[in-house]
Amino acid sequence: DAKTTQPTSMDCAEGRAANLPCNHSTISGNEYVYWYRQIHSQGPQYIIHGLKNNETNEMASLIITEDRKSSTLILPHATLRDTAVYYCIVRVAFGNEKLTFGTGTRLTIIP
Amino acid sequence: EAQVTQNPRYLITVTGKKLTVTCSQNMNHEYMSWYRQDPGLGLRQIYYSMNVEVTDKGDVPEGYKVSRKEKRNFPLILESPSPNQTSLYFCASSLGRGRSYEQYFGPGTRLTVT
């Protein structure tokens, strides 16, 4: 599975859009980009995934560059409950669905 | 409500005393997995199961056993726990076979071995 690089921490004002970047320059053609988050020490929570097109769901948007070497997770209107560690993961969709979590980005929403 | 449950949520035990952490899901998922989370090391996979009676080692299987006798349950067994198994453990499940991109995680079991 391809490795990912994320900033260690970010702050965002409540109500503003939070943009979390992720670099995955060694991604393969059949690997997807997944985003999960972990609030305090709770179980990780799935947010969104994508292959090469931009994706949007009720939680967030995912923007993947044309060369697929990086992506950005966007939380459109951040709330205090979005304070968490966000993980960008790249892997194939089949087989062992192991999720390899790196250190992630600690996002703090400021009131 | 779709969920993954783990029991116990917290456990303090002594070296060598066998223990089992249970994991159960109510979503008819084929794929289940166990992870441990340690500071600075992220989540590491211990074992996984692609279906009933099909289990395989993850990245850190030493000192652990699992079984998958029925689809909903995937217990994690520590035959002789040691202090280096003190960790936060998570069970996860998904439909499997690439049919779903979302994995559901349990609430975690914090284990301390003294």
Side-chain angles (χ1 to χ4, degrees):
Chain A
D1 295 338
K3 290 187 177 179
T4 62
T5 304
Q6 300 176 250
T8 303
S9 64
M10 295 179 63
D11 292 338
C12 178
E14 188 177 17
R16 304 295 294 267
N19 294 270
L20 292 87
C22 179
N23 286 320
H24 31 79
S25 58
T26 60
I27 191 171
S28 301
N30 61 348
E31 289 181 315
Y32 286 74
V33 180
Y34 299 79
W35 283 84
Y36 279 74
R37 73 180 182 183
Q38 187 174 24
I39 297 172
H40 195 47
S41 292
Q42 298 177 20
Q45 177 189 24
Y46 165 86
I47 301 172
I48 199 168
H49 76 278
L51 183 61
K52 52 185 175 182
N53 297 320
N54 297 337
E55 303 288 346
T56 295
N57 63 19
E58 64 278 4
M59 288 182 67
S61 294
L62 175 61
I63 308 298
I64 302 174
T65 58
E66 194 168 341
D67 63 7
R68 303 210 319 127
K69 292 184 177 182
S70 66
S71 61
T72 301
L73 176 74
I74 301 172
L75 307 178
H77 304 287
T79 71
L80 298 178
R81 291 190 297 177
D82 292 323
T83 293
V85 179
Y86 288 77
Y87 297 97
C88 169
I89 300 152
V90 174
R91 67 162 180 84
V92 295
F94 292 86
N96 178 11
E97 298 179 14
K98 177 177 67 174
L99 295 171
T100 302
F101 285 58
T103 53
T105 297
R106 182 172 298 277
L107 176 67
T108 302
I109 306 301
I110 310 294
Chain B
E1 179 190 353
Q3 61 181 350
V4 178
T5 57
Q6 295 179 225
N7 283 294
R9 294 289 312 280
Y10 302 91
L11 179 61
I12 300 175
T13 190
V14 297
T15 299
K17 185 176 181 182
K18 180 180 178 180
L19 66 92
T20 299
V21 183
T22 64
C23 172
S24 182
Q25 48 90 8
N26 63 359
M27 296 166 280
N28 201 37
H29 284 172
E30 287 188 2
Y31 179 89
M32 297 186 75
S33 180
W34 275 103
Y35 294 88
R36 60 178 289 174
Q37 186 172 33
D38 303 289
L41 296 177
L43 253 70
R44 294 179 292 169
Q45 189 184 54
I46 304 170
Y47 269 94
Y48 67 97
S49 170
M50 304 278 278
N51 211 331
V52 176
E53 302 291 1
V54 180
T55 63
D56 209 343
K57 297 177 181 179
D59 296 324
V60 288
E62 295 76 23
Y64 305 94
K65 287 175 58 176
V66 293
S67 68
R68 187 89 184 274
K69 292 183 170 55
E70 49 190 342
K71 187 179 276 191
R72 65 182 295 127
N73 296 322
F74 190 44
L76 180 69
I77 303 157
L78 285 72
E79 294 269 4
S80 182
S82 63
N84 64 12
Q85 293 178 298
T86 292
S87 187
L88 178 58
Y89 291 87
F90 291 104
C91 180
S93 74
S94 74
L95 280 172
R97 288 190 277 163
R99 291 173 294 173
S100 170
Y101 300 95
E102 179 176 1
Q103 282 192 39
Y104 294 78
F105 281 80
T109 295
R110 189 169 293 279
L111 172 66
T112 301
V113 184
T114 62

